[in-house]
Amino acid sequence: MFEFERPRGGERALLVHINFPHRPDQDDLAEFIELVRSADVTNVELIVGSRQQPSAKTFIGKGKLEEIAARVIAHEVDIVLFNHTLSPSQERNLEQALQCRVLDRTGLILDIFALRAQSFEGKLQVELAQLKHLSTRLVRGWTHLERQKGGIGLRGPGETQLETDRRLLGKRIKYLNGRLLKVARQREQGRQARNKAEVPTISLVGYTNAGKSTLFNALTDAEVYTADQLFATLDPTLRKLQLSEQQAVILVDTVGFIRHLPHDLVAAFRATLVETREADLILHVVDCSDDNRQEKIEAVNKVLHEVGAAEVPQLLVYNKIDVSGIEPRVDNDEQDKSWRIWVSAVSRSGFENLSEVLRNRFCEQTRAYRLILSAAEGQIRAFLFENGSIDSEIYQNNGDIHLKLRLTPALYRRLTSRFEISSDRLEIVTDALAGAA
């Protein structure tokens, strides 16, 4: 669809990591190497340097640029990977100077996502993110695209090739957004059906390679692909988890997060991450053997905030205790409520504790409420009917509607936040009163 006047990519990669002393949020070098390994490219050499500030033209200094250029020739490198976010002009200038393809951290992550996506929805989401990223880089070394067609028999509508490609790319993005909107509607129908059946949803989230999919498989006997690499799985998977004879929940495995996850990816996967925002509980899986686990917890919480899931109740699951040599246990807060569980998804150690905590949270959790709506609050009534929450309704002479409801904690939270209903208006009904009403 689009033709690039640029060197073709390959598999022999030269890695570049620059330390900036005044930027404490810079990306981790070990994680960058893991990203490269996950992209299935050959790391021929790692070049590390230091600067006070990035160069506006080439990000790195003249001396470091000459050093990298010499290494590119010596190793016959196909691509140079930067563990940083580069501007379009910086990528263009670096490619011209090095005479090979240059890719920044964002482009590398997008490439890994394209490699891992298997489902139709996942491929649509990744392509959308790639095109949005590409739309900001159409100026990269494409000198022929800035010339308008001319001459006898070649005079066109006055549109440059660059403008043509921008227009075609915009049409493709619009098409992908439309297809993903249809997928989002289908997911919403599934969520409404689960809400009507009063089946709670638990969403597994965590930093990539924390063991989410391994835990998901161990809990549900699913066969989701797992590997010791970043972003091993992208496509969300839903399975039923039976907590007791009377109570089942839906467990959702989602894409792993990472620090500085590209915004285009977050936007493209928003429909998928709605499953997390609408969940009754988030199981936040943490690699307890990782020395940087607290930073990664904060990175995951930042993404959850971006997708509107910051208010969903969380339960920390410290995984890989078999690696750390820690005994399984449950940590409770001052109110004697469980907030952290130590388990091993590989050996299934600590699963009894996890099952008990989940049973305590979800068995018989639906509560009965009374709510009075005015005649002008039809949207609230429609929302409650869509989610199958209304047991009965009585119309009063003044137009008010007296409703008896049954709400899960997630539905209660969505109802009060979406329509700004104060908790005072929702009167809790005990089982005895509910039966007598």
Side-chain angles (χ1 to χ4, degrees):
M1 183 177 178
F2 303 103
E3 292 195 11
F4 296 72
E5 263 193 6
R6 55 188 293 184
R8 296 187 179 276
E11 295 184 348
R12 292 176 59 80
L14 184 71
L15 314 187
V16 179
H17 175 82
I18 306 299
N19 291 308
F20 297 96
H22 303 297
R23 293 174 62 178
D25 63 336
Q26 60 187 331
D27 296 304
D28 182 64
L29 178 56
E31 185 174 272
F32 176 50
I33 295 174
E34 277 297 306
L35 282 170
V36 172
R37 186 173 70 89
S38 299
D40 294 336
V41 297
T42 302
N43 172 15
V44 297
E45 187 177 351
L46 169 66
I47 295 180
V48 179
S50 298
R51 279 185 66 86
Q52 293 297 319
Q53 294 293 336
S55 165
K57 184 177 181 180
T58 58
F59 192 81
I60 53 179
K62 182 179 179 181
K64 186 62 68 175
L65 183 61
E66 292 175 352
E67 178 187 349
I68 294 174
R71 296 288 202 281
V72 166
I73 295 173
H75 295 297
E76 298 181 350
V77 167
D78 300 303
I79 186 169
V80 176
L81 302 174
F82 277 73
N83 187 27
H84 309 277
T85 300
L86 302 176
S87 69
S89 62
Q90 286 171 337
E91 283 193 18
R92 179 191 64 203
N93 294 333
L94 285 167
E95 286 187 347
Q96 288 176 345
L98 300 175
Q99 288 299 297
C100 73
R101 187 177 179 189
V102 174
L103 201 64
D104 67 355
R105 178 184 171 88
T106 298
L108 176 61
I109 294 175
L110 288 171
D111 185 75
I112 295 171
F113 270 62
L115 190 66
R116 299 283 185 268
Q118 298 294 327
S119 70
F120 173 71
E121 180 186 7
K123 291 177 180 178
L124 286 179
Q125 290 168 325
V126 172
E127 184 183 356
L128 177 61
Q130 287 179 315
L131 291 181
K132 285 184 175 180
H133 183 67
L134 178 63
S135 66
T136 65
R137 283 159 163 73
L138 287 178
V139 298
R140 292 173 26 171
W142 297 6
T143 54
H144 78 286
L145 298 184
E146 298 175 1
R147 298 193 299 269
Q148 291 180 320
K149 297 176 183 178
I152 297 175
L154 295 176
R155 293 188 179 92
E159 183 178 48
T160 65
Q161 183 64 47
L162 179 59
E163 290 167 341
T164 301
D165 282 349
R166 279 202 183 111
R167 178 168 49 80
L168 292 175
L169 190 144
K171 289 178 64 176
R172 180 65 179 175
I173 289 176
K174 184 178 179 181
Y175 167 78
L176 292 174
N177 279 321
R179 296 298 299 269
L180 285 173
L181 185 60
K182 292 182 179 179
V183 174
R185 288 175 184 153
Q186 293 172 349
R187 286 192 174 277
E188 184 61 30
Q189 290 174 352
R191 274 192 297 276
Q192 290 180 6
R194 292 196 298 271
N195 288 334
K196 288 179 180 179
E198 297 183 351
V199 181
T201 301
I202 301 175
S203 182
L204 281 173
V205 306
Y207 209 81
T208 182
N209 209 27
K212 286 188 305 80
S213 296
T214 304
L215 179 64
F216 181 85
N217 288 340
L219 288 172
T220 63
D221 294 325
E223 296 181 356
V224 175
Y225 174 72
T226 60
D228 183 20
Q229 58 187 14
L230 304 185
F231 304 116
T233 54
L234 292 184
D235 303 310
T237 308
L238 286 73
R239 292 289 187 276
K240 179 189 281 189
L241 175 62
Q242 200 75 35
L243 298 180
S244 66
E245 291 184 5
Q246 295 79 25
Q247 182 65 61
V249 297
I250 298 297
L251 198 62
V252 184
D253 186 21
T254 60
V255 61
F257 299 155
I258 197 170
R259 274 179 295 189
H260 307 155
L261 192 66
H263 290 291
D264 290 335
L265 272 178
V266 175
F269 278 77
R270 195 169 296 276
T272 300
L273 295 174
V274 166
E275 297 285 358
T276 300
R277 190 182 68 208
E278 303 290 347
D280 295 81
L281 176 68
I282 289 176
L283 289 186
H284 185 163
V285 183
V286 180
D287 181 357
C288 70
S289 64
D290 191 339
D291 294 334
N292 299 319
R293 59 177 179 263
Q294 191 56 43
E295 296 176 12
K296 294 182 176 181
I297 289 174
E298 293 171 0
V300 171
N301 287 332
K302 183 177 179 181
V303 177
L304 291 175
H305 179 76
E306 287 184 36
V307 300
E311 301 302 320
V312 180
Q314 267 194 42
L315 180 63
L316 288 172
V317 179
Y318 273 39
N319 188 27
K320 303 186 181 181
I321 61 173
D322 55 312
V323 177
S324 304
I326 300 173
E327 291 297 319
R329 70 174 191 265
V330 178
D331 295 334
N332 296 335
D333 58 19
E334 295 177 352
Q335 286 76 38
D336 202 31
K337 187 174 182 180
S338 303
W339 70 278
R340 182 171 60 188
I341 301 178
W342 302 73
V343 304
S344 168
V346 173
S347 66
R348 305 198 179 197
S349 179
F351 273 30
E352 300 84 359
N353 295 335
L354 179 58
S355 298
E356 183 180 356
V357 170
L358 293 179
R359 280 194 295 270
N360 291 337
R361 281 182 179 255
F362 288 101
C363 292
E364 302 178 359
Q365 66 159 352
T366 303
R367 304 194 70 172
Y369 298 88
R370 283 198 184 96
L371 175 64
I372 300 176
L373 299 179
S374 67
E377 294 179 307
Q379 283 187 331
I380 300 176
R381 178 178 175 274
F383 169 83
L384 293 169
F385 259 113
E386 285 177 1
N387 290 281
S389 302
I390 298 179
D391 278 349
S392 66
E393 57 181 349
I394 300 175
Y395 287 84
Q396 304 297 317
N397 294 331
N398 62 357
D400 288 348
I401 310 173
H402 289 225
L403 301 176
K404 285 196 301 181
L405 312 173
R406 288 202 173 269
L407 302 174
T408 63
L411 270 176
Y412 180 93
R413 186 176 60 253
R414 293 204 297 272
L415 174 65
T416 53
S417 61
R418 183 179 301 185
F419 299 103
E420 297 182 352
I421 297 177
S422 65
S423 57
D424 297 338
R425 291 186 59 186
L426 284 161
E427 177 190 354
I428 298 176
V429 181
T430 64
D431 291 339
L433 291 174

